[in-house]
Amino acid sequence: MKRLLFVMLACAAAAGPSTSSGRTYPERPVKLVVPFAPGGSADLVARLIGRALAESWGQQVIVENKGGGSGMIGNDYVAKAAPDGYTLTVGTMGPFSVNPTLFEKMPYDPIRDFAPITLTGIASHVLVANPQVPVHTVSELIALAKAKPGQLTFASSGTGNATHLTFELFKASAAIDIVHVPYKGGGPAMADLVGGQVNFSFASMPSALPYVQSGRLRAIAVGGAHRSPLFPDVPTVAESGLPGFVSEDWQGILAPAKTPAAIVAQLNADLVRTLRTPEMTAKLAGAGFDVKTTTPREFAEFIREDTAKWAKVLKRTGTKAQ
């Protein structure tokens, strides 16, 4: 009997974290919050991951957009949600690595109030322009900006987000003055850029890709360390006259702090398995994302290191919350 009991307990442990009903997690729909408006890169990746997890779990994954507040409204909602694994957030560079330095007060602590699950991927940014603007290269952009200081505009997906900080870094590196116009997500920013309400943006690759391919936006340079296979003829900013310039965005999945360790471990295993399938890797690569997964501990350390890096950039550029 003791041996039988041991085997039964071992099988139960292997099956994953159990619920009060005896079913394994998840036993009901899981909400995945995107703290930005629909249409941006975080939204695109969240929906790809959500569909894959729903098929694997046999449970619905509801992607819910809660934009505004530089990503803090949606993340605050998740930070205060029940720590049971049924409310997750898509973490990005802005709300987690930048906002702690950019804002004097935040409604949550990015380190204390969340349980990191895994990094999901890294994406380069691409410098794009409305085709009506007579700029095809970085040197032409710099020359136009110096000829018209304070008259040109650039769109971002929100104050403190990666698209904002990348352009601030670009402005400081090139010693130019271009006016920042923040939006509540990549989708609205791209819509106004295509419509000509703003001139430029350092957009995420997934957000910019369809517009560049259709000719509605012009790709000028890539912000990453290397050229993108999606735009092999588009040079990097570094090779376009600003050596050493590199800016890349990241995304990951986090749960509220105090989420049971067993659920965090299962989420990590399920997400890593999902992201590493050839189909998912290909889909994300086609959108400009390089899949990168971590353990929860590695992801937590990654956020700490990235926060320290961007704190230095913010202080050097003098960037303030608007």
Side-chain angles (χ1 to χ4, degrees), residues 32-36 42-43 46 75 88-92 95-96 251-254:
L32 180 56
V33 172
V34 177
F36 306 106
D43 186 57
N75 284 318
L88 311 173
T89 191
V90 177
T92 61
F96 281 86
Q251 288 187 21
I253 306 296
L254 303 95

Side-chain angles (χ1 to χ4, degrees), residues 11-285:
C11 289
S18 61
T19 65
S20 58
S21 66
R23 296 178 61 186
T24 58
Y25 169 88
E27 65 171 355
R28 54 186 170 86
V30 174
K31 183 181 294 184
L32 180 56
V33 172
V34 177
F36 306 106
S41 61
D43 186 57
L44 182 151
V45 175
R47 294 181 188 280
L48 286 174
I49 292 175
R51 282 194 292 270
L53 286 176
E55 292 177 4
S56 173
W57 288 339
Q59 284 288 353
Q60 186 179 10
V61 176
I62 302 170
V63 176
E64 183 172 333
N65 297 87
K66 288 183 176 293
S70 297
M72 292 189 287
I73 292 176
N75 284 318
D76 184 47
Y77 171 83
V78 175
K80 293 177 172 57
D84 54 10
Y86 289 95
T87 306
L88 311 173
T89 191
V90 177
T92 61
M93 185 188 95
F96 281 86
S97 300
V98 174
N99 285 0
T101 302
L102 191 67
F103 294 91
E104 290 186 7
K105 293 183 179 180
M106 292 178 64
Y108 58 86
D109 185 305
I111 302 299
R112 183 193 63 217
D113 296 335
F114 291 90
I117 297 170
T118 181
L119 194 66
T120 56
I122 303 291
S124 179
H125 296 100
V126 56
L127 175 58
V128 288
N130 181 284
Q132 299 302 314
V133 181
V135 165
H136 294 79
T137 65
V138 168
S139 58
E140 289 178 355
L141 190 162
I142 293 173
L144 182 62
K146 289 187 174 181
K148 298 182 177 182
Q151 297 181 47
L152 301 176
T153 54
F154 80 88
S156 80
S157 56
T159 299
N161 287 328
T163 53
H164 174 207
L165 268 295
T166 299
F167 215 110
E168 291 294 348
L169 182 61
F170 178 82
K171 285 169 56 181
S173 301
I176 55 177
D177 179 18
I178 300 180
V179 178
H180 174 220
V181 182
Y183 290 82
K184 290 185 177 181
M190 289 298 94
D192 270 12
L193 181 59
V194 170
Q197 283 76 26
V198 284
N199 305 127
F200 306 101
S201 181
F202 250 113
S204 66
M205 199 70 73
S207 295
L209 183 61
Y211 297 108
V212 173
Q213 291 176 331
S214 65
R216 289 179 288 175
L217 291 179
R218 178 185 300 129
I220 296 174
V222 174
H226 308 285
R227 293 194 183 196
S228 168
L230 298 176
F231 303 124
D233 297 327
V234 178
T236 66
V237 173
E239 64 182 303
S240 299
L242 296 177
F245 185 98
V246 176
S247 180
E248 296 173 321
D249 196 7
W250 58 264
Q251 288 187 21
I253 306 296
L254 303 95
K258 299 182 181 179
T259 297
I263 290 181
V264 170
Q266 181 175 326
L267 280 166
N268 177 271
D270 291 347
L271 280 161
V272 169
R273 182 173 59 252
T274 297
L275 288 161
R276 288 181 178 174
T277 62
E279 181 181 11
M280 181 62 74
T281 299
K283 284 181 179 179
L284 291 175

Side-chain angles (χ1 to χ4, degrees), residues 115-118 264 268 294-304:
I117 297 170
T118 181
V264 170
N268 177 271
T294 62
T295 66
R297 185 186 296 273
E298 289 170 342
F299 189 21
E301 184 59 29
F302 175 90
I303 294 173
R304 290 189 183 92

